Amino acid sequence: MRPPALRSAQGLVRRPWGLELLRLTGRVLALALQPASYRGPQWGRVAQQLVLAAWPALGWYAVLSALFGQVLIRIVVVTAQSYGLTRYAVDAVVRVLVLELLPLAAALFVLLRGMLARAAELRRWRRDGRLALEPSAGPEPWRQHVLPRALGGALATVLLTLASCVIALVLTYLNLYGFSPWALAGYTRAVGQIFEPTVALIFALKTLGFALAVALVPLAAVFDLRPQGDVRALVRTAVVLLGVELLALVGNYY
């Protein structure tokens, strides 16, 4: 005889995945806006997940993004100089590397490094009957286990995106002008012209969309107790990230 928690969880498998994602998104966003989610011992749980998700990977991710950025920046700068198009190098690097590649790389990094494992942990607890997320269980299981992990994934995505973009902008300046401070005013003006209000808004919304996708879509797999749940969560998150990226491209260039 299967335990009631397992039978009810298996019943959720037959529900459309999109409905479970909307349900989880609504509950997590509602809990994130409640002051009670950050009081007493709950703040310790949230703070622990924020630190575990972002801080341990920040240093070596910055190194990896710097190496990747340096290779790409050098290729663009040398190619532009060889064709006498140096003034377009900044535009190419910022639009390709900073606006498009680095946010997507940060989101995939957080997804593969942490969020899939956290989702698998919750799914295992739910399958074993140690975690009840039914409406009758109240908001506490969501507040204690789901919300901290979602906030950690979102913060890590935003933090790594911003850190890698700043590093890329610094490396671009060094590759073009070296350590001379005299070109700084013109360089900041050129970058500012690229980040016009519309582009800056789309970049912010895309980063937020990536953060929400990485934080919430894998956790929706907690309702999917079928085999290969991790693979499904990975594919679904990749599809959502691709959709956000396509919307950003349409907003920027069409």
Side-chain angles (χ1 to χ4, degrees):
M1 187 70 176
R2 291 172 297 179
L6 180 57
R7 290 201 305 271
S8 62
Q10 289 176 336
L12 289 173
V13 170
R14 294 188 291 270
R15 296 183 183 178
W17 170 79
L19 294 179
E20 296 300 344
L21 177 59
L22 291 176
R23 174 193 176 194
L24 183 140
T25 301
R27 297 206 67 168
V28 169
L29 293 179
L31 290 173
L33 297 176
Q34 295 178 7
S37 299
Y38 310 99
R39 292 174 182 165
Q42 179 61 23
W43 170 243
R45 300 186 189 98
V46 173
Q48 181 184 34
Q49 290 297 326
L50 293 178
V51 172
L52 289 176
W55 182 251
L58 180 60
W60 61 277
Y61 180 79
V63 174
L64 290 177
S65 63
L67 293 174
F68 171 72
Q70 174 62 25
V71 171
L72 185 58
I73 291 167
R74 195 61 190 166
I75 293 173
V76 173
V77 170
V78 171
T79 303
Q81 289 175 345
S82 64
Y83 287 98
L85 301 173
T86 305
R87 60 182 180 141
Y88 297 109
V90 174
D91 189 276
V93 169
V94 172
R95 290 189 180 277
V96 174
L97 185 61
V98 176
L99 290 181
E100 307 301 339
L101 294 182
L102 290 180
L104 184 60
L108 291 175
F109 178 83
V110 174
L111 172 67
L112 296 175
R113 179 186 177 273
M115 290 310 299
L116 288 178
R118 289 175 173 84
E121 180 183 40
L122 292 182
R123 190 170 61 255
R124 184 172 63 254
W125 289 356
R126 185 172 174 78
R127 185 173 57 246
D128 296 342
R130 298 163 55 191
L131 177 63
L133 297 178
E134 292 76 17
S136 59
E140 286 308 310
W142 291 80
R143 183 175 285 125
Q144 293 178 13
H145 301 291
V146 179
L147 177 64
R149 288 167 173 80
L151 292 177
L155 174 67
T157 303
V158 174
L159 180 62
L160 296 184
T161 297
L162 295 179
S164 59
C165 289
V166 170
I167 292 173
L169 291 174
V170 173
L171 289 175
T172 302
Y173 180 87
L174 295 177
N175 277 273
L176 286 171
Y177 309 109
F179 291 94
S180 172
W182 306 114
L184 186 59
Y187 177 73
T188 54
R189 183 165 57 252
V191 173
Q193 290 174 348
I194 297 172
F195 278 94
E196 59 182 1
T198 302
V199 174
L201 177 61
I202 292 175
F203 177 76
L205 291 177
K206 181 173 74 170
T207 303
L208 179 60
F210 282 172
L212 291 177
V214 169
L216 297 175
V217 178
L219 292 180
V222 72
F223 299 104
D224 187 354
L225 301 182
R226 293 171 295 178
Q228 299 180 339
D230 290 341
V231 177
R232 292 188 180 90
L234 175 61
V235 172
R236 290 165 177 169
T237 309
V239 170
V240 175
L241 291 175
L242 180 59
V244 174
E245 178 65 27
L246 290 176
L247 290 176
L249 289 173
V250 170
N252 279 329
Y253 303 110
Y254 293 97

